[in-house]
Amino acid sequence: MAEHDLHDYSRALVTDIQALADAEDGSIPNKFTEYVLEILEEAGEATDAALAFHSSPRGPEIYGYGLPEDGSSLDLYTTDFSLTPSSSKLTKAESERYFRRLFAFLGKYKAIRYSQEDNTDVHDMCVGVEKALSDVPKIRLFLLSNRVCTTSAPGPTEFEGIPVSYELWDLARLHRNKTSGSISEPITVTFEQPLPCLAAHSEEPNYSVVLAVIPGRQLAELYKEHRTRLLELNVRSFLQARGAVNKGIRDTLLNAPGKFLAYNNGVTATASAVDFEMNEAGSPIAIRSMAGLQIVNGGQTTASLHHVLTRDKRDLDGVHVQMKLTIVDPAYLSEIVPRISRYSNTQNKVTLVDFSSNHDFHVAFERVSRSLWAPATGGSGQETRWFYERARGQYTDKSAEYDTRAAQRKFQLITPSRQRFSKSDLAAFVNSWEQLPYWVSRAAQKNFAHFMERIEKSDPVVDVQYCKRAIATALLFQTADRIARAHSAGSHKRLITTYTVARLSLATEKRIDLDRIWNEQGTTEAVKGALDELCPLIMETVISGDRHVSEWAKKSDCWDEVSRIPWELPEALAAELTAEPFEIVSLESTESDEAEAAVEDIPSEEWRALADWAREGRFLRSVDRQLADRVAQRLSQGRPVTGAQARQAMEVHEEALRHGFHPEANGFDDADR
């Protein structure tokens, strides 16, 4: 690693973190922690991580925690951040002290919990840790630093009989991660007993193929150790492994393990290097070790093996899995591996590139959005640009292209860091507008994956209008974020922000004028006033009670409660609303067309009768009763009911029928339709 490159990366990282902290008025160490946690999540090293800072003099110090949904581990994080990282290195004594204080939290979390107010991040963390320690199989302690460490992480220990491992992510490791050309560091596997294999003859210079049969337990153990990192080059496998375990695979493993090899299709894997045991003729006969291992097809098989081993407590004796292993020259990984993955998954609609930076949607959004000039604001006369980071670090790299400080300052004036946003940011902005706050409240990658699934269904045209409106949702989100901060939402600010935006979107039927927001590069006073009214109401519902706030916010039940909050749309805002809603990620047009036709088939009088019936009997949610009234009004005026509103209206009509609403009892029958 070139010292010059590392120094440049270090300087850029500090600049980035400072800019992010300034933009959000946050703590620099907390922002660095959040930044690295996103990297770890993308790398498959961590999931469901959350910030929660607690420190006591000479006692425990912790910056965050993670409770993976599958219960595979309890993860705790601490941070070392320096504004001048090149001036000193992280010594062995310092790193041990950080780990020691992090470990101390495990013995003190109960006392810390009782010293905290309910519904704070630290209180939620202590509750989550207590629950996890009752059955978690391992604990992982992470030290995150922007300095180069002079030593490696300590060896494994135990806490109350639970294995504890230590992970050190220092500047050098973060830099390797950024420059390696892959999401995370290569997985290296050594087999105690070489794995017999059969080599296939190939004339191709850049890859070769061998066939092998790997013991099921060995594959399950590999997944147990490396988790989704083992699957990261195959998005379909990655998502499958995070979802439900395949019932058919599990049934075979439990009831006919000896027949698994015959019934299962096996896995397709790739590696960048393999150490073979050779026969006298010089042909490979067994695999001693391999580097850069990835399973590009067979994610459900791998995850199901792990589930049966760890959850069903079966030893997997007699279970074997066929494996096709392709050894790919590292220089050709980006070219060959996606094709192997894609062709191995021809039965699936989603392919490798679907969630990558090179997906057509992100390429188009980057191209179009960066061509836009945002109108000048505040009488400055200076037009600016928004900068969409299709890949991490693009903004810093672009700034570094300018040789002089004057040129860099000009770039930052025209493209201010506050107008930089990433793929996961875009997903949060749009999904909040699309009334999916419980998805935004989950880990960034989970929300992003859901966002991309909706993109696949809607296949939007990414043109100038689309990008302007998407950026308008960013401006709306940022306004709500500032208001949530003013209302002292504290560590739950992001949750309150997404729920506030979603509730406003629901109340206005997505008719806030996004085009006006873009043109003015900000929200109107009426929008700000509405957000200011809604925010404390949202906080009462999301934060109140003895619930674990971050877990509660991830549930659709939380959104159901928020959507029922009584709130009258202010007249000033109602006067600004557009006639038609703004759809950023609508569902497939055929579904909308069918819903629109179905709504129009029902007379306006029936919609009004439905609303009256629900109001008198207190059936349905108030927001649903109001929707029925609005649909009746629009139809009586000859105005169409379109898009999401039509789909929601038909859902309300079906719900009313289930609760006993009878159109014929109100004077309507099929002849009226």
Side-chain angles (χ1 to χ4, degrees):
M1 181 190 308
E3 289 295 327
H4 178 72
D5 291 344
L6 187 61
H7 177 74
D8 287 348
Y9 173 71
S10 172
R11 186 172 59 186
L13 180 60
V14 170
T15 302
D16 255 7
I17 299 302
Q18 285 181 305
L20 291 169
D22 289 344
E24 299 184 18
D25 193 25
S27 152
I28 288 178
N30 277 344
K31 183 52 61 177
F32 173 71
T33 305
E34 182 180 10
Y35 182 91
V36 178
L37 289 180
E38 288 181 6
I39 292 174
L40 296 182
E41 190 172 322
E42 289 179 2
E45 294 277 0
T47 58
D48 302 298
L51 295 180
F53 175 72
H54 175 80
S55 180
S56 56
R58 299 184 180 180
E61 182 170 87
I62 185 169
Y63 277 81
Y65 68 107
L67 302 170
E69 284 185 356
D70 60 4
S72 57
S73 65
L74 165 63
D75 301 335
L76 304 179
Y77 304 93
T78 191
T79 289
D80 162 63
F81 186 85
S82 171
L83 290 173
T84 55
S86 300
S87 62
S88 66
K89 292 186 177 182
L90 181 65
T91 66
K92 179 180 181 181
E94 287 177 310
S95 66
E96 288 178 348
R97 183 169 67 252
Y98 278 113
F99 277 123
R100 191 163 55 247
R101 295 186 70 185
L102 185 59
F103 187 93
F105 174 80
L106 292 168
K108 299 286 187 179
Y109 72 88
K110 289 183 180 178
I112 293 170
R113 173 186 176 183
Y114 294 119
S115 70
Q116 302 291 314
E117 293 184 9
D118 290 353
N119 301 321
T120 63
D121 271 348
V122 175
H123 181 272
D124 286 353
M125 173 173 64
C126 294
V127 171
V129 167
E130 182 172 25
K131 182 179 179 181
L133 286 175
S134 63
D135 62 356
V136 75
K138 64 181 177 181
I139 300 168
R140 301 191 299 169
L141 305 185
F142 289 78
L143 169 57
L144 318 176
S145 176
N146 73 324
R147 293 191 288 167
V148 173
C149 188
T150 60
T151 186
S152 56
T157 60
E158 288 188 353
F159 174 76
E160 296 183 354
I162 305 173
V164 178
S165 62
Y166 298 80
E167 290 277 350
L168 175 58
W169 280 77
D170 69 342
L171 180 71
R173 190 171 182 184
L174 291 170
H175 183 253
R176 284 199 304 272
N177 178 78
K178 182 180 186 296
T179 58
S180 66
S182 62
I183 291 180
S184 61
E185 295 184 322
I187 294 172
T188 299
V189 180
T190 300
F191 297 100
E192 292 184 8
Q193 294 292 326
L195 197 66
C197 67
L198 174 65
H201 177 72
S202 174
E203 299 289 343
E204 292 290 332
N206 303 317
Y207 78 91
S208 58
V209 178
V210 298
L211 305 177
V213 175
I214 184 170
R217 183 183 182 92
Q218 204 157 22
L219 190 55
E221 294 284 0
L222 283 172
Y223 183 75
K224 182 179 179 181
E225 179 179 356
H226 301 289
R227 310 301 299 172
T228 52
R229 286 183 60 217
L230 193 62
L231 313 173
E232 65 193 7
L233 288 184
N234 181 290
V235 171
R236 171 58 69 183
S237 293
F238 180 80
L239 292 177
Q240 287 173 339
R242 293 166 71 98
V245 171
N246 184 283
K247 185 177 183 297
I249 294 175
R250 180 171 176 266
D251 286 346
T252 301
L253 290 169
L254 293 176
N255 302 315
K259 297 178 181 177
F260 189 78
L261 183 62
Y263 292 169
N264 187 261
N265 289 331
V267 299
T268 301
T270 62
S272 55
V274 176
D275 178 27
F276 289 110
E277 188 176 289
M278 304 289 197
N279 61 15
E280 293 179 356
S283 298
I285 58 171
I287 301 171
R288 293 195 186 100
S289 66
M290 45 188 165
L293 175 64
Q294 285 287 297
I295 293 174
V296 296
N297 186 28
Q300 279 198 329
T301 293
T302 307
S304 298
L305 285 163
H306 173 260
H307 181 96
V308 171
L309 176 68
T310 58
R311 295 299 180 90
D312 295 321
K313 306 299 182 184
R314 298 297 179 89
D315 56 20
L316 299 179
D317 283 349
V319 175
H320 292 84
V321 183
Q322 59 180 320
M323 176 175 67
K324 184 182 79 171
L325 177 67
T326 303
I327 302 96
V328 183
D329 185 320
Y332 293 86
L333 277 172
S334 60
E335 174 188 344
I336 295 177
V337 171
R339 294 180 181 177
I340 296 173
S341 175
R342 183 162 62 248
Y343 301 150
S344 297
N345 284 282
T346 52
Q347 75 276 18
N348 296 314
K349 181 179 179 181
V350 183
T351 62
L352 173 73
V353 297
D354 287 330
F355 296 87
S356 75
S357 300
N358 295 321
H359 187 281
D360 289 346
F361 171 83
H362 299 294
V363 172
F365 196 94
E366 176 192 61
R367 175 177 51 78
V368 177
S369 65
R370 291 201 201 170
S371 71
L372 301 175
W373 283 99
T377 60
S380 66
Q382 176 64 62
E383 293 182 317
T384 59
R385 291 190 189 276
W386 286 74
F387 193 97
Y388 180 59
E389 275 197 323
R390 181 166 57 87
R392 183 183 297 278
Q394 282 184 318
Y395 182 88
T396 303
D397 294 342
K398 186 68 175 177
S399 179
E401 290 178 8
Y402 298 95
D403 296 331
T404 66
R405 289 192 177 277
Q408 289 180 354
R409 282 195 296 270
K410 183 178 180 181
F411 167 77
Q412 290 162 5
L413 176 66
I414 294 173
T415 317
S417 60
R418 68 177 180 276
Q419 291 178 198
R420 168 182 57 173
F421 62 110
S422 66
K423 298 192 302 295
S424 59
D425 291 331
L426 178 64
F429 303 150
V430 173
N431 276 357
S432 296
W433 175 259
E434 294 293 326
Q435 301 164 24
L436 297 167
Y438 49 96
W439 273 104
V440 180
S441 299
R442 303 177 190 189
Q445 291 303 304
K446 291 181 181 178
N447 180 55
F448 177 71
H450 186 70
F451 170 74
M452 288 306 300
E453 288 173 6
R454 290 170 60 82
I455 289 293
E456 284 296 320
K457 290 180 180 179
S458 61
D459 192 22
V461 177
V462 184
D463 54 12
V464 168
Q465 183 185 73
Y466 182 91
C467 291
K468 286 181 177 180
R469 291 175 176 177
I471 293 172
T473 67
L475 287 160
L476 178 63
F477 191 96
Q478 291 170 354
T479 301
D481 184 84
R482 289 191 292 271
I483 289 171
R485 184 187 305 130
H487 281 280
S488 302
S491 57
H492 301 306
K493 177 166 63 71
R494 187 171 180 83
L495 307 181
I496 299 304
T497 298
T498 182
Y499 270 92
T500 304
V501 171
R503 184 64 179 86
L504 186 62
S505 172
L506 176 67
T508 60
E509 302 169 351
K510 300 183 183 176
R511 293 189 293 127
I512 293 173
D513 194 340
L514 296 183
D515 292 337
R516 180 177 179 180
I517 291 177
W518 165 264
N519 290 331
E520 298 180 3
Q521 286 296 287
T523 56
T524 65
E525 291 302 316
V527 171
K528 292 176 185 174
L531 290 169
D532 194 51
E533 283 184 23
L534 272 174
C535 186
L537 301 177
I538 303 297
M539 290 173 65
E540 287 179 14
T541 301
V542 176
I543 299 178
S544 64
D546 57 356
R547 302 182 180 105
H548 189 294
V549 177
S550 58
E551 293 303 313
W552 167 237
K554 297 175 184 177
K555 300 180 183 296
S556 58
D557 290 346
C558 181
W559 171 235
D560 286 342
E561 284 199 21
V562 169
S563 66
R564 294 191 191 102
I565 293 175
W567 184 68
E568 292 289 332
L569 197 66
E571 291 183 6
L573 179 57
E576 294 180 356
L577 300 183
T578 59
E580 302 299 332
F582 287 89
E583 299 284 359
I584 306 298
V585 182
S586 61
L587 297 180
E588 292 180 288
S589 59
T590 53
E591 295 180 15
S592 296
D593 292 344
E594 291 171 2
E596 290 166 13
V599 168
E600 291 185 5
D601 283 345
I602 300 172
S604 62
E605 294 82 4
E606 181 174 331
W607 285 106
R608 189 164 287 111
L610 187 158
D612 292 340
W613 166 84
R615 195 173 291 110
E616 291 170 6
R618 293 194 175 277
F619 297 109
L620 309 182
R621 304 177 302 174
S622 60
V623 67
D624 295 334
R625 298 194 294 268
Q626 293 168 14
L627 176 60
D629 277 329
R630 287 192 294 271
V631 170
Q633 183 179 17
R634 293 180 73 87
L635 291 177
S636 66
Q637 296 171 346
R639 297 163 62 196
V641 180
T642 60
Q645 189 179 59
R647 294 193 300 273
Q648 291 169 3
M650 288 311 301
E651 289 174 3
V652 168
H653 192 272
E654 292 169 7
E655 183 73 8
L657 294 176
R658 285 195 294 269
H659 279 83
F661 173 66
H662 298 292
E664 62 274 11
N666 291 276
F668 305 105
D669 54 32
D670 289 339
D672 295 315
R673 300 188 182 183

